Each structure stands twice: as C-alpha cells, then as structure tokens.
Amino acid sequence: MLLTGADIVVECLKEQKVDTVFGYPGGNVIHIYDSLYKNKKYIKHILTAHEQGASHAADGYARSTGKVGVCIATSGPGATNLVTGIATAYMDSVPMVIITGNVPLSLLGKDSFQEVDIAGVTAPITKHNYIVKDINKLADTIREAFYIASEGRQGPVLIDIPKDIAMTTTDYEYAEPKLVERCIKNITEEAIENALELINKSKQPFIYIGGGVVRSEASKELLEFAENIDAPVTSSLMGLGGFPSSHELFTGMIGMHGTKASNKGINKSDLIIAIGARFSDRVVSKVEKFAPNAKILHIDIDPAEINKNVVSYHYIVGDIREVLKQLNNNIIKQDRKQWVNKIKGYKDKYPLRYPDNGLKAQYIIEKLNDITDENTIVATEVGQHQMWTAQYYNFNSPKEFLTSGGLGTMGFGLGAAIGAQVGNPTKTVINIAGDGCFKMNLIELATAVNYNLPIIIILINNNSLGMVRQWQSLFFDGRYSETTLNHATNFVGLAENFGMRGLEISRKEQVEEVLQEAINCKGPVLVHCRIHEDDKVFPMVAPGEAIDSLIMEG
C-alpha cells in the first residue's frame, strides 16, 4: 500500500493500539495532523493550550493506564516546549513516544526558520531518539520506538520527522507490535537462593520500595512477599501505592519528609530489601549514616542502579514481578512478631501530627482521603502540598498517585490530571496544587473546560513558594528572598472566567461539605483553600543529617 509518511505515522499508531494522542499543531507537523483528522474515529487528539501541557498529559495518561503515552509538537519552539515534560518522564521511568516535526532535510543544519536539533537537545533525557531521514525506515522506527519505551526500565523515546519525510510516499505494510517480554535472563537460581539465605538469616529485615514496583505491576506479589517474610514496608515518594498504605506492615514514606517509624526503623534493621528503588539523596540523606548495620539486597530491572548510590551486599537484576514470584515460590513463611511489634511501637509513639489551629492542608487532605474511594486518582504539583499528600492520603493501589518525583517539576500536576482523566474517564481525578505551581501551567484550565473533563483542582494557597520559604525559615534566618508571592489573583473568579466551577474553603468547618460538592460536580472545578504562609512540612531531615535525625513538628 502506497502511503505518505504522515499516513504511515498514523497507521503505525493504530498498529500500536494508540487511542489517544496529546499535542499542538504547527507547520512542520501539518501533514501528520491532516492524517490524524482523516483517522479521528480511531485516534482521539487532545489539543492542549501549550506543548508542555501535552507532554505532561501524555505522562499522566501513561502513569495512570500503563499504556505508552503519545504527544506531538511541531519543530523549534514547539519541540523545545516539550523538553521539561520529557525530562520529567525520563526521571520517573514513564513510557512515552514523542513525535516532533522538523524542517525539510535540505534545510537541516542551516539555522532555518523554527529549526532546532531536538534530538541533540533531548539525548540526555530520553531512552533513545531518532531523526528519520529515510522514508523507508519510518514505520520500523516508530515500531522500535514503542518497543524501547516499554521494555526493561521504561522511558520516553523521541522521533523527529522532517517535513518532507511526512510528505513523501512509500510502500507500507501492516505489522503486529513486537511483544514486550519481561526481563528474566539474569534472574538465576543462584541469585534467588542467595537472596533467600539472606532473608532467612535476617532478624530485622525492612522492605524499601520505589516506583519500579508500580511500573512492573508487582504490587500483588509484593504484598504476598511482605506477609510471607513478616517484615515492615516503607516507600519512596514514587513507590506510594505499590503497597497498601493502610496495611499494618506499612510504616509510611521514608526520607527527608518520611515518618519517624520509617526513618528510625530502617536504621535499626539488619537487612534492607530494596525493590525497584534507587536510594536517591532525598531518601538516604547522609550516606555514611544510612542503615549502618544493615546488609542491602537490591532488586531492580536496571543494572545501572546497582551500587550507584549505596553499595549492595547482594543484588538481583530483573523484572521485579518475576523476581518476587520466584522468591514467593521458594520462601519459608516466617514470623518476626518481635521486630514487627518494635516498629509498630515507633508508629504509635511517633505518629504524623500537625497543629490544630485554623485551616490546615493536612486536615483538607485527610478529609479528602475519607470521602474518596479506590476509584480515585490523585495528581500533585511539587512542594509542600505534594509532601502533605504523600503523608496524609492513603494510596492502597498502584497508579493512584501521579507526581513528579525525580525532576520535581512545578506545573506537572494539571497536565498529568488531564491525561489521567482522558485515560480513565470513569474515575475521579484530583490535582492537589500549590499557588506557585498552579500559576506555571494554569492555562491548561482551558483544556479541561474545552473537553469538559471533571477534574477537581484543590488549590492550597499559602501565598508563597512554601517549600523554599520553609528552608529559608529554618536554615536562612527568615530571609524570604522572592518567596512571598502576594498575588492579587481571585482564583475562584479566574476559574469561573475559564468556564469552570470555582469553590472556596476558608474555614475548617467548610472542608467536608465543599469537597463533597466538588466531587459531585460533573465538570471541572477548582477549590481554593487559603492556609497560613508559615505552615510547614514535618517531619523533616535537615541537609547532611542522618535520616533518623528528624525535625519534628514545632
């Protein structure tokens, strides 16, 4: 079948069972958009207000559905506007395929109008990228891109398509997508036996999970494993939802804003079983003081993570779900009642708490947790509200929590919520935002309204860049350099002028009623909540301190 490059792009998307793409048109992708128009009964296109919104929406779609997210932008500024979203996905191992247009082949490298070497720009923040210079290689390039995005440690892949490639014709033949197999080649019998020996000999094991548990869809196997070895479980920010937050073995998040039970407990352990986690600086803090008496058993799909930040005693490289299946098949069920009770004692003695004076973000999030169910997806922006959400909302299933962990991208949440709502139309999707983050991509309110997406935005307004202000308060003698925002913005009026519902919470007594009203809305709604500018996230580990040296509330 003779097709243009643009038609081949769309046919390959259909091959990969893509039902939704996010993007923004322009001159160098105009032929691809013409083909999308002709195929709109097969592929839905979501037009965002800005290309960065498209990249975050594709990311949120991927995280919440488990499918590959797809976004499209034109060359030059269109392509560069995607960069922050690509980096966000790369840092959090999110499968995405990004399609950009570029100037014709004859104009490449000549500083042509709207020309950028986007493949060069994104090389450090993609799993792989391509510039397609031969129309006969276009279809196989797209197929390979989807495979690379999905296999092993997932991540974004970019395909840059010059305009004349999209216009040229060549033969196209349908091909079935290549099956993505789970990575098991390095899961040897010896590696499993050595891991089991370590676990069996341990008196005080602690399971530390990361986002890899969610990506590998291993939460069921993890629950079985934790109950089999009777060990407490803590999670990085990215791992939340990989193990039920309400389970008695769960101790809460670990790290800079982790619970004292997690941070103190892991430093008392004799074996850390790290599963799909990378020992980031926000978890470990001062490496020399991290779990000084513990051996580390590290299970991860990416060999580059082994011994990168913390030295392992033993490791297994492979798909987490497959590793846990083999461990569960061979494990002897154990009883560590004394150790588990010790950690439970820490949980009872050092619960999360906050002052009960006035309207608090923690209280709002607790009430939100009470009135929502398992059919809910929560996205966040980045900052204090993100940490409060991680601390006070119970995530009991994977893919419930969408947040920028590795890059910490302010402005991520609204786009991610849009993608999640498009991918999960029957679920309640909530974006918890701070006022600083919200301003960065608030233009995407237009997208939510345009598609009548029933997203709930809970805007926690402390009139400041709260997390930076907290550091300035604690470590810079209260020199609040450029962190007091003092907006005159009427956020409820802003929402209403975009065409959505705007609600206000100014007193604690209003919280439950207004949140319920928001949930009952059939379209997008913003709930504006004003809190005090000096409310802080506790516990907190000061820079350079051991993780069990926590600053508690007050």
Side-chain angles (χ1 to χ4, degrees):
M1 187 190 324
L2 199 64
L3 294 179
T4 65
D7 288 337
I8 288 171
V9 169
V10 175
E11 288 302 317
C12 286
L13 293 179
K14 288 159 66 177
E15 283 179 8
Q16 300 294 327
K17 307 295 188 290
V18 172
D19 55 19
T20 306
V21 298
F22 303 86
Y24 204 96
N28 285 323
V29 287
I30 194 168
H31 295 87
I32 295 173
Y33 269 83
D34 187 56
S35 187
L36 282 170
Y37 182 87
K38 291 182 287 187
N39 285 275
K40 58 187 176 182
K41 69 178 180 179
Y42 303 108
I43 299 174
K44 175 168 56 180
H45 181 275
I46 302 297
L47 176 66
T48 55
H50 189 281
E51 290 92 350
Q52 188 178 133
S55 62
H56 291 326
D59 182 320
Y61 177 92
R63 294 189 202 223
S64 63
T65 64
K67 302 175 184 178
V68 176
V70 180
C71 60
I72 302 175
T74 193
S75 64
T80 58
N81 281 344
L82 296 172
V83 169
T84 298
I86 296 170
T88 302
Y90 180 75
M91 292 291 284
D92 290 344
S93 305
V94 179
M96 284 171 53
V97 168
I98 303 98
I99 297 170
T100 55
N102 214 326
V103 299
L105 287 168
S106 61
L107 297 179
L108 283 176
K110 297 182 179 180
D111 295 330
S112 305
F113 176 66
Q114 290 194 333
E115 181 199 357
V116 164
D117 177 13
I118 194 62
V121 169
T122 61
I125 54 168
T126 51
K127 264 189 89 173
H128 196 66
N129 63 28
Y130 305 86
I131 305 173
V132 181
K133 296 183 177 181
D134 181 349
I135 181 65
N136 297 307
K137 295 180 179 178
L138 177 61
D140 285 342
T141 297
I142 295 170
R143 293 162 185 154
E144 188 173 84
F146 274 86
Y147 179 80
I148 291 173
S150 302
E151 64 88 30
R153 182 173 183 171
Q154 298 173 333
V157 179
L158 181 138
I159 310 167
D160 194 36
I161 304 173
K163 187 173 184 177
D164 49 346
I165 295 294
M167 298 166 61
T168 306
T169 58
T170 192
D171 282 325
Y172 161 81
E173 288 186 16
Y174 174 86
E176 283 289 324
K178 184 179 177 182
L179 181 66
V180 177
E181 296 182 347
R182 290 187 174 266
C183 183
I184 61 172
K185 63 181 180 180
N186 293 317
I187 309 174
T188 64
E189 187 176 332
E190 180 183 12
I192 295 293
E193 287 176 356
N194 289 339
L196 290 170
E197 184 179 0
L198 271 177
I199 294 165
N200 290 334
K201 286 182 177 179
S202 170
K203 303 296 183 187
Q204 298 185 160
F206 218 117
I207 300 171
Y208 153 49
I209 69 167
V213 171
V214 177
R215 294 284 171 271
S216 64
E217 300 181 327
S219 56
K220 178 185 172 185
E221 289 74 16
L222 173 64
L223 177 60
E224 182 183 349
F225 176 70
E227 291 179 342
N228 276 337
I229 71 169
D230 199 21
V233 180
T234 186
S235 174
S236 71
L237 179 71
M238 294 306 302
L240 290 173
F243 189 85
S245 295
S246 56
H247 196 283
E248 62 182 0
L249 289 173
F250 191 64
T251 62
M253 191 168 64
I254 188 174
M256 180 173 283
H257 294 292
T259 65
K260 189 153 187 175
S262 295
N263 287 15
K264 187 178 177 70
I266 208 162
N267 265 16
K268 297 289 185 183
S269 68
D270 63 6
L271 176 67
I272 296 173
I273 307 168
I275 306 175
R278 57 189 179 89
F279 293 99
S280 79
D281 56 300
R282 285 297 172 106
V283 166
V284 173
S285 193
K286 193 172 183 66
V287 176
E288 297 82 2
K289 295 183 179 180
F290 180 76
N293 300 312
K295 294 176 179 177
I296 292 173
L297 167 59
H298 196 173
I299 302 169
D300 203 282
I301 199 167
D302 186 356
E305 291 298 341
I306 306 300
N307 298 324
K308 185 174 82 174
N309 295 325
V310 173
V311 177
S312 300
Y313 184 85
H314 179 56
Y315 60 86
I316 305 175
V317 174
D319 181 85
I320 290 165
R321 193 167 81 180
E322 296 303 315
V323 173
L324 289 175
K325 279 182 180 179
Q326 293 197 35
L327 290 173
N328 285 330
N329 288 339
N330 294 280
I331 201 83
I332 300 169
K333 194 167 177 65
Q334 295 162 22
D335 181 353
R336 293 189 172 90
K337 191 173 184 179
Q338 185 176 355
W339 169 235
V340 169
N341 284 341
K342 183 176 182 177
I343 300 301
K344 184 178 182 301
Y346 292 156
K347 289 171 65 176
D348 294 341
K349 186 176 181 180
Y350 306 112
L352 291 170
R353 52 165 62 101
Y354 55 90
D356 187 19
N357 57 332
L359 182 63
K360 299 293 179 186
Q362 299 95 317
Y363 180 79
I364 295 167
I365 293 164
E366 281 184 323
K367 285 300 174 187
L368 183 69
N369 181 71
D370 291 343
I371 66 175
T372 53
D373 58 23
E374 68 280 354
N375 202 38
T376 303
I377 296 170
V378 176
T380 73
E381 305 291 350
V382 170
Q384 288 178 314
H385 61 278
Q386 177 191 32
M387 295 298 106
W388 285 322
T389 302
Q391 291 174 335
Y392 289 94
Y393 196 95
N394 286 333
F395 296 100
N396 289 314
S397 301
K399 302 175 188 171
E400 282 185 1
F401 184 43
L402 315 180
T403 199
S404 172
L407 197 63
T409 304
M410 295 173 68
F412 165 80
L414 180 52
I418 287 169
Q421 189 72 80
V422 170
N424 303 269
T426 64
K427 292 192 174 184
T428 300
V429 178
I430 298 166
N431 179 39
I432 300 177
D435 50 323
C437 294
F438 178 69
K439 290 196 305 178
M440 289 195 167
N441 276 336
L442 65 82
I443 192 65
E444 295 305 336
L445 294 179
T447 307
V449 170
N450 185 41
Y451 293 96
N452 195 33
L453 301 173
I455 295 163
I456 301 161
I457 300 158
I458 299 176
L459 179 55
I460 308 294
N461 182 5
N462 59 1
N463 205 36
S464 70
L465 300 178
M467 189 60 86
V468 184
R469 181 184 175 89
Q470 176 167 330
W471 278 58
Q472 289 171 335
S473 175
L474 295 174
F475 310 121
F476 292 85
D477 298 324
R479 295 187 294 276
Y480 301 121
S481 177
E482 303 302 323
T483 53
T484 302
L485 298 178
N486 284 330
H487 332 264
T489 309
N490 177 346
F491 286 104
V492 171
L494 176 75
E496 290 173 344
N497 279 311
F498 267 98
M500 61 193 293
R501 186 86 180 275
L503 302 173
E504 185 94 36
I505 295 175
S506 56
R507 302 188 317 277
K508 184 177 179 180
E509 297 74 28
Q510 298 174 300
V511 170
E512 195 163 353
E513 181 182 351
V514 174
L515 290 180
Q516 192 61 63
E517 184 179 354
I519 289 170
N520 293 338
C521 284
K522 301 301 182 186
V525 57
L526 181 145
V527 182
H528 179 238
C529 314
R530 188 177 290 279
I531 66 169
H532 195 275
E533 63 187 5
D534 283 320
D535 286 354
K536 294 180 174 62
V537 180
F538 291 115
M540 180 181 182
V541 179
E545 295 294 327
I547 63 165
D548 55 355
S549 296
L550 287 153
I551 304 170
M552 303 304 284
E553 193 280 315

